[in-house]
Amino acid sequence: MKVMVAIPWRAEPGRELAHSLTLRHWAGVLPEAQVVDVDSGSELFSRAGSRNEAVRQAERAGAEVVVIGDADTLVDEVPLGLAIEGARTSGKVHLPYVVCRSLGADGTAQYCEGVPLSECDAIPVYGSCGGIYVTTPSTWWAHGGQDERFRGWGFEDVAWVHAHVTLLGEPVRHEGNIYPLDHPVGAKEVPLLEANYALLVRYEEAAGNPEAMRALIAESAE
């Protein structure tokens, strides 16, 4: 099975270390996979747009499964393997974790010193729906991918879950962890944040209604 790992990435001050650690991590857990950085090229970096572009690149490369992983996020190897195998035939996106263990500055420093991820200081977060997605291209497009109208920081991953649940059912989770590394937090522009939240509300209103959800997704392609 051909697998591509695609990392949405545009260089920002202070994030280079997390990016380099992430590349090293993928080389260790998926040594046979092609690993690429992806940037949709929008004026303001778009996580949703770059995730969609990742899937397009996977299609062009002939990858059966694409792992879309943030440039600061590591993952347990066993649930990742289960997610890759399951995503190939299930018709759903797989999330290779149940707990998001945010490492913070202390945990990241410990990891850099060689402490195993499972033993690094971390703050557990439950219910996270971003970070790493495992999918086939056809599954990704079957529920619209991610809405590129979300600009700057915020809410595209929550909207994505509403679309997936409404059109495909719950994403498949695997018992395990992801580990976001510490890095400087970018500024959040209030007008963009407010616009993103307003769009999220529309996804919440369409949740559970396939016809309304498809209409909302179709708007994003216009």
Side-chain angles (χ1 to χ4, degrees):
M1 181 191 341
K2 183 172 182 178
V3 178
M4 174 183 282
V5 176
I7 302 172
W9 168 249
R10 182 179 293 179
E12 295 182 42
R15 296 191 175 219
E16 293 84 356
L17 175 60
H19 177 241
S20 65
L21 291 172
T22 301
L23 291 175
R24 187 182 72 181
H25 175 76
W26 286 116
V29 297
L30 285 179
E32 303 301 320
Q34 180 184 7
V35 181
V36 297
D37 290 332
V38 179
D39 184 344
S40 66
S42 59
E43 181 177 356
L44 179 66
F45 182 70
S46 169
R47 290 192 297 178
S50 296
R51 287 166 178 157
N52 289 343
E53 177 60 23
V55 176
R56 295 186 191 99
Q57 291 194 19
E59 287 178 299
R60 292 195 291 269
E64 293 179 70
V65 173
V66 56
V67 179
I68 308 169
D70 286 355
D72 63 354
T73 303
L74 316 182
V75 63
D76 288 333
E77 185 171 356
V78 171
L80 174 66
L82 294 172
I84 290 171
E85 185 58 38
R88 185 170 64 90
T89 58
S90 68
K92 295 183 177 182
V93 176
H94 286 235
L95 303 177
Y97 67 96
V98 172
V99 183
C100 174
R101 292 180 54 82
S102 184
L103 295 183
D106 290 343
T108 298
Q110 292 166 353
Y111 176 69
C112 290
E113 292 167 359
V115 177
L117 278 171
S118 61
E119 298 176 18
C120 292
D121 291 343
I123 298 173
V125 179
Y126 297 88
S128 175
C129 53
I132 295 179
Y133 309 82
V134 184
T135 185
T136 63
S138 61
T139 297
W140 190 254
W141 301 127
H143 65 293
Q146 290 200 340
D147 193 326
E148 298 183 28
R149 290 176 292 181
F150 287 99
R151 302 177 63 242
W153 183 91
F155 306 122
E156 75 287 333
D157 47 2
V158 181
W160 167 81
V161 168
H162 286 306
H164 193 294
V165 170
T166 299
L167 300 179
L168 303 181
E170 289 281 351
V172 180
R173 288 190 183 267
H174 298 266
E175 193 69 37
N177 306 284
I178 55 172
Y179 305 87
L181 298 159
D182 185 59
H183 58 72
V185 178
K188 298 177 176 68
E189 297 184 36
V190 172
L192 293 179
L193 196 62
E194 291 177 342
N196 286 357
Y197 182 73
L199 182 55
L200 172 62
V201 169
R202 296 186 64 198
Y203 271 86
E204 292 173 340
E205 292 171 345
N209 184 330
E211 183 178 353
M213 186 62 72
R214 290 191 184 97
L216 180 56
I217 290 169
E219 286 182 17
S220 68
E222 293 176 355

